[in-house]
Amino acid sequence: MSDRLRIAWYGLTIFLSSAFLLVLEILAGRLIAPYVGVSLYTWTAIIGVILAGLSLGNWLGGIWADRGGKELAAGITLALAGLFSLGILALLTLVAPLIEARAMTLLGASFFYVLALFFMPAVLLGVVTPLLTTLALGLDRRTGHIVGRMHALAALGSILGTFLTGYLLIQYLGTRGIVIGTALGLFLLALPFFKGTSRLVPAAVLAAAVGLVLLTQARNGFSNPCDRESTYFCIRVVDESERAPFGVARSLVLDHLVHGTNHESEPGLLLAPYVQLMDELALEHFGDEKAASLRWFFAGGGAYTLPRSVRARTPVAAVTVAELDPLVTHMAEDRLFLDTAGMRVVHEDARIVLERESSGLYDVIVADAFHDISIPYHLVTREYAELVKSRLTPDGLYLLNVLDAFPDPRLVKSMMKTLAESFAHVHVWMDVVPPDAERMTFVISASNSREPPDVLLARRGLDYRWVRATEPMMKTGTPFDRLPLLTDDFVPVERLVAEFYFEDLGR
């Protein structure tokens, strides 16, 4: 092989190995989502650990190159990277029970998941670029030319891996398929580097790979916990019939959080207290007669529990749902008894849809897009509140459900403070007062027409009772004047829900 072809071979290897590393990085977010969700902190852990491994690998690769590392060294490194990548699934089955048993904080759990699963592949793939760059410099003395080319190829490979995984691979191959494909790709990339050497090394790699496959199979590591994987979520549907007083009920789980429970034969039966509360608040606000013909807008569909109930109970009501993920809608139709006939479903971001809705006003806007600890920042700001206000009728009602920490839900209180800039009557509601600190779902109501009652009793469905907790909450915990006003320029959501990351609140 000529020197030019050999350098091109090295460059192609650097390009592809860098692509595989970013495939694993994007994969990490999806793989750990069913255990710790998706948030700024989980992605910080992923990026930080991958960069740490890459940095260590670069340093070790440079040392190895200076100490005589040749092509065989690159082959061994790539093969080991393939083995550690293949071992991710088996390792997950070992690590997950240990982390879950220790009741770690979300911050700690996110870090240790990524460290255990992805640090070593990042270290090994980090070795490749300096090692092969040094070998290329032995064939071409144009130092700047070679170093620049190899760095550019590494960057381009990273870009390819990022876009390919995010846009295509996760949707079409799933996490398990990507892990297997990445391992196979690294093995194939390593193979040419073993040419002319003893067959013992590739045979040992093959034996180790077979052993890992058998171990993973024995531990059920190839079984995907997701029914479907979309660009946004690990989607599951689970049977919840035991929660229903009769009949069949199913829940939608996105990543690791239940996003709604639908009853097969009774769409008006709302099993989650907070969902029924939002329905009851609209009924109380508008009265029976007007409630039959309201115009509803839902920011987020999820299981479509409330939109489905509204359509079944009041067929003349107009229902618009902005659900970002089309696969969530399809799963609700296929598995959660949803019939979207008569609904207007838009698969776009809710804020974009509302921005475009310049004509026509809604009576009720419901925000159901808050995904556990992953809060869409742009849907909690003052600017968005003003947009919602402009799209509501004068006596319109804005309803939100938010997961936060009791007894001092700082995010909820900041959202109330922000909403108070646009609405005269902003209140928070609870169905129970927990005896201890825990995560729970709060419902916020906002309007400019009138004050709601202090206590709300269920008028239909299950027998629930809710209390308006605004005044006690304002007097407890962090004072309102110490909480930030949320704007498009400043939305410190993670800081406001820090208890989720640094304390165990019964997740």
Side-chain angles (χ1 to χ4, degrees):
M1 183 185 297
S2 68
D3 290 350
R4 179 174 294 182
L5 284 177
R6 194 170 292 273
I7 292 172
W9 171 32
Y10 294 163
L12 178 63
T13 303
I14 288 172
F15 174 81
L16 292 176
S17 64
S18 298
F20 284 129
L21 177 59
L22 266 293
V23 167
L24 292 176
E25 182 171 347
I26 301 300
L27 172 72
R30 171 62 67 240
L31 200 64
I32 69 173
Y35 304 93
V36 293
V38 179
S39 69
L40 178 63
Y41 285 137
T42 57
W43 276 111
T44 299
I46 291 167
I47 295 170
V49 168
I50 294 292
L51 286 177
L54 183 62
S55 300
L56 178 59
N58 286 164
W59 179 59
L60 293 175
I63 293 175
W64 199 355
D66 285 342
R67 293 182 178 178
K70 301 299 181 184
E71 289 180 357
L72 180 60
I76 292 172
T77 301
L78 289 166
L80 287 174
L83 289 174
F84 273 94
S85 298
L86 186 60
I88 285 173
L89 299 179
L91 197 56
L92 179 60
T93 66
L94 298 169
V95 169
L98 294 176
I99 293 178
E100 295 299 310
R102 292 178 179 273
M104 299 178 67
T105 64
L106 284 171
L107 187 66
S110 300
F111 176 77
F112 282 108
Y113 270 117
V114 182
L115 185 67
L117 302 178
F118 295 96
F119 182 71
M120 281 308 301
V123 171
L124 291 163
L125 290 172
V127 168
V128 175
T129 297
L131 184 59
L132 292 183
T133 299
T134 303
L135 292 178
L137 287 171
L139 303 174
D140 191 326
R141 295 301 178 184
R142 296 176 298 170
T143 304
H145 182 84
I146 293 297
V147 171
R149 179 196 299 182
M150 297 308 182
H151 277 291
L153 287 170
L156 289 172
S158 299
I159 294 169
L160 175 67
T162 300
F163 284 112
L164 196 62
T165 308
Y167 288 166
L168 295 173
L169 296 183
I170 287 177
Q171 299 177 72
Y172 290 99
L173 297 182
T175 51
R176 273 64 185 168
I178 294 173
V179 168
I180 295 169
T182 299
L184 287 174
L186 289 169
F187 291 147
L188 291 174
L189 206 56
L191 200 57
F193 289 96
F194 294 130
K195 185 178 180 181
T197 65
S198 169
R199 295 182 180 180
L200 184 61
V201 175
V205 171
L206 179 60
V210 171
L212 281 173
V213 169
L214 294 176
L215 175 63
T216 306
Q217 184 66 35
R219 296 195 59 83
N220 202 30
F222 292 119
S223 176
N224 194 331
C226 315
D227 293 334
R228 295 287 300 275
E229 290 182 276
S230 72
T231 307
Y232 305 98
F233 302 114
C234 165
I235 306 172
R236 291 184 291 141
V237 174
V238 297
D239 184 77
E240 294 272 51
S241 300
E242 62 182 22
R243 290 183 54 199
F246 59 88
V248 177
R250 294 175 185 165
S251 290
L252 177 73
V253 182
L254 301 182
D255 291 338
H256 75 309
L257 183 75
V258 174
H259 266 254
T261 304
N262 293 354
H263 193 278
E264 181 180 24
S265 60
E266 296 293 333
L269 182 59
L270 304 174
L271 297 175
Y274 77 89
V275 179
Q276 185 170 339
L277 170 57
M278 292 191 290
D279 185 49
E280 296 282 357
L281 282 168
L283 179 63
E284 191 283 330
H285 187 82
F286 292 101
D288 291 291
E289 184 176 350
K290 187 173 182 181
S293 58
L294 297 176
R295 296 190 69 220
W296 294 73
F297 179 90
F298 291 88
Y304 283 74
T305 304
L306 189 51
R308 177 174 177 256
S309 176
V310 169
R311 282 293 304 161
R313 192 180 59 254
T314 55
V316 298
V319 175
T320 297
V321 182
E323 168 55 54
L324 190 60
D325 191 344
L327 194 54
V328 167
T329 302
H330 297 327
M331 286 291 286
E333 291 175 317
D334 291 342
R335 303 283 304 280
L336 292 164
F337 325 115
L338 173 66
D339 181 1
T340 56
M343 294 185 195
R344 176 177 170 239
V345 178
V346 186
H347 291 120
E348 290 184 77
D349 180 85
R351 183 163 175 173
I352 294 174
V353 176
L354 282 180
E355 289 277 9
R356 196 169 56 230
E357 303 267 301
S358 57
S359 61
L361 298 176
Y362 295 98
D363 299 298
V364 189
I365 294 180
V366 179
D368 193 20
F370 304 133
H371 180 62
D372 191 11
I373 53 176
S374 180
I375 305 294
Y377 309 135
H378 61 302
L379 301 186
V380 299
T381 66
R382 178 176 57 191
E383 291 83 355
Y384 180 67
E386 281 295 313
L387 174 62
V388 168
K389 176 184 172 183
S390 71
R391 298 297 183 262
L392 281 171
T393 58
D395 63 341
L397 180 65
Y398 182 33
L399 301 170
L400 312 87
N401 68 81
V402 187
L403 194 69
D404 206 342
F406 177 85
D408 186 23
R410 295 184 297 166
L411 174 60
V412 167
K413 291 159 77 171
S414 289
M415 291 173 66
M416 293 173 65
K417 180 178 179 177
T418 303
L419 287 168
E421 297 279 306
S422 303
F423 295 94
H425 309 291
V426 179
H427 295 287
V428 62
W429 300 82
M430 301 169 61
D431 63 312
V432 295
V433 178
D436 301 306
E438 67 172 65
R439 297 199 303 173
M440 63 179 296
T441 301
F442 298 85
V443 170
I444 302 173
S445 65
S447 75
N448 279 317
S449 58
R450 65 181 183 85
E451 285 281 286
D454 293 331
V455 177
L456 192 63
L457 300 176
R459 295 169 58 182
R460 53 195 177 199
L462 299 178
D463 186 19
Y464 289 126
R465 175 181 182 272
W466 302 274
V467 296
R468 197 176 76 183
T470 312
E471 289 75 18
M473 192 171 294
M474 292 177 67
K475 299 174 183 177
T476 305
T478 309
F480 266 53
D481 58 5
R482 289 177 52 193
L483 291 167
L485 190 70
L486 306 177
T487 69
D488 283 349
D489 291 329
F490 184 63
V491 200
V493 168
E494 279 76 17
R495 175 164 63 84
L496 294 171
V497 293
E499 289 98 330
F500 290 177
Y501 301 97
F502 299 104
E503 299 177 20
D504 177 21
L505 293 172
R507 64 185 176 89

